[in-house]
Amino acid sequence: AQSVTQPDIHITVSEGASLELRCNYSYGATPYLFWYVQSPGQGLQLLLKYFSGDTLVQGIKGFEAEFKRSQSSFNLRKPSVHWSDAAEYFCAVGYTGGFKTIFGAGTRLFVKA
Amino acid sequence: EPEVTQTPSHQVTQMGQEVILRCVPISNHLYFYWYRQILGQKVEFLVSFYNNEISEKSEIFDDQFSVERPDGSNFTLKIRSTKLEDSAMYFCASRGSGSSDNEQFFGPGTRLTVL
């Protein structure tokens, strides 16, 4: 069955520290991969996406993610977190020819001063 | 830049009432979707729509739900008799027609509160 796992429900990092949010997916072929960010009460903002090609993708706000086929992972990283990065982060997977996007349960990021 | 719009931003209704949530997808897109996010939970797929018919629906999308593209620009989600558990944020999304293009563009959402 198609699924997306974000093993960390919440993460707390210090401002200026590096960040890595984990995401694993379950699918037999190469999926389309996305990371979205959501502030409380707000909509979904696309941070970055991977369809094919270079497995390291750059996104907005200084985020990047790396697709690792062997690990079925698409982890999100940022070298230096800012207080404004505090939000909920969703990993999502779209499937070739599929009609829907499957979202992970989300990871809430807290940033401490 | 073209975007998906949704109205209203917030809808409050009484249990048992019908609600219609409206979406205007990006104009040249052909695939349309509704998703739901209950407060504090993940985004869940409800239904996809292509060529004037439902392509896929989840188990959440029961007989109380229906979708329609009434006029070639709007895409609506109707809940016939709302229940308390229908309270959620509802997101509309649309996708282009390219075979390799699987990015869905999401609207800002409609927050539905059922009292």
Side-chain angles (χ1 to χ4, degrees):
Chain A
Q2 305 158 348
S3 65
V4 180
T5 302
Q6 293 181 249
D8 303 306
I9 296 173
H10 55 81
I11 283 182
T12 301
V13 299
S14 298
E15 191 170 17
S18 64
L19 170 71
E20 182 169 26
L21 302 182
R22 296 183 291 165
C23 173
N24 293 93
Y25 66 90
S26 171
Y27 184 56
T30 301
Y32 300 110
L33 298 160
F34 309 89
W35 275 98
Y36 291 89
V37 61
Q38 184 182 40
S39 297
Q42 301 300 307
L44 300 165
Q45 182 180 25
L46 180 68
L47 287 175
L48 48 77
K49 61 188 178 186
Y50 172 79
F51 288 169
S52 64
D54 192 345
T55 56
L56 183 64
V57 294
Q58 303 297 320
I60 62 172
K61 303 185 178 186
F63 285 93
E64 66 177 27
E66 186 172 12
F67 169 58
K68 292 185 178 180
R69 184 190 303 275
S70 61
Q71 299 176 19
S72 297
S73 69
F74 189 57
N75 294 348
L76 181 72
R77 301 194 293 251
K78 186 170 184 177
S80 178
V81 169
H82 187 263
W83 65 265
S84 61
D85 293 325
E88 186 93 23
Y89 290 80
F90 292 97
C91 180
V93 177
Y95 296 89
T96 305
F99 295 104
K100 64 187 179 187
T101 298
I102 303 294
F103 286 80
T107 297
R108 179 163 294 280
L109 174 65
F110 298 94
V111 181
K112 61 182 181 181
Chain B
E1 185 173 332
E3 58 182 17
V4 177
T5 59
Q6 291 185 242
T7 54
S9 57
H10 193 185
Q11 173 97 43
V12 181
T13 189
Q14 296 290 325
M15 188 170 55
Q17 295 297 305
E18 174 183 287
V19 295
I20 297 176
L21 309 182
R22 290 182 167 79
C23 168
V24 179
I26 294 173
S27 63
N28 62 344
H29 283 186
L30 299 180
Y31 298 84
F32 314 110
Y33 309 81
W34 283 101
Y35 293 81
R36 178 183 83 175
Q37 185 183 31
I38 295 172
L39 185 64
Q41 299 186 22
K42 69 177 180 180
V43 178
E44 300 173 290
F45 168 78
L46 290 179
V47 66
S48 59
F49 191 85
Y50 170 73
N51 199 24
N52 279 323
E53 61 183 23
I54 290 174
S55 309
E56 186 175 359
K57 60 183 181 180
S58 71
E59 62 276 8
I60 303 169
F61 193 88
D62 60 23
D63 292 344
Q64 292 300 310
F65 292 88
S66 63
V67 290
E68 192 178 27
R69 188 155 163 79
D71 56 14
S73 63
N74 291 282
F75 179 53
T76 62
L77 174 69
K78 181 192 291 185
I79 309 175
R80 290 188 181 82
S81 178
T82 50
K83 303 188 283 284
L84 295 176
E85 54 265 37
D86 293 326
S87 294
M89 182 78 92
Y90 288 81
F91 292 105
C92 173
S94 69
R95 175 167 76 92
S97 58
S99 59
S100 61
D101 182 3
N102 202 35
E103 180 182 351
Q104 296 174 12
F105 293 80
F106 285 85
T110 293
R111 180 164 298 284
L112 176 65
T113 301
V114 182
L115 303 176

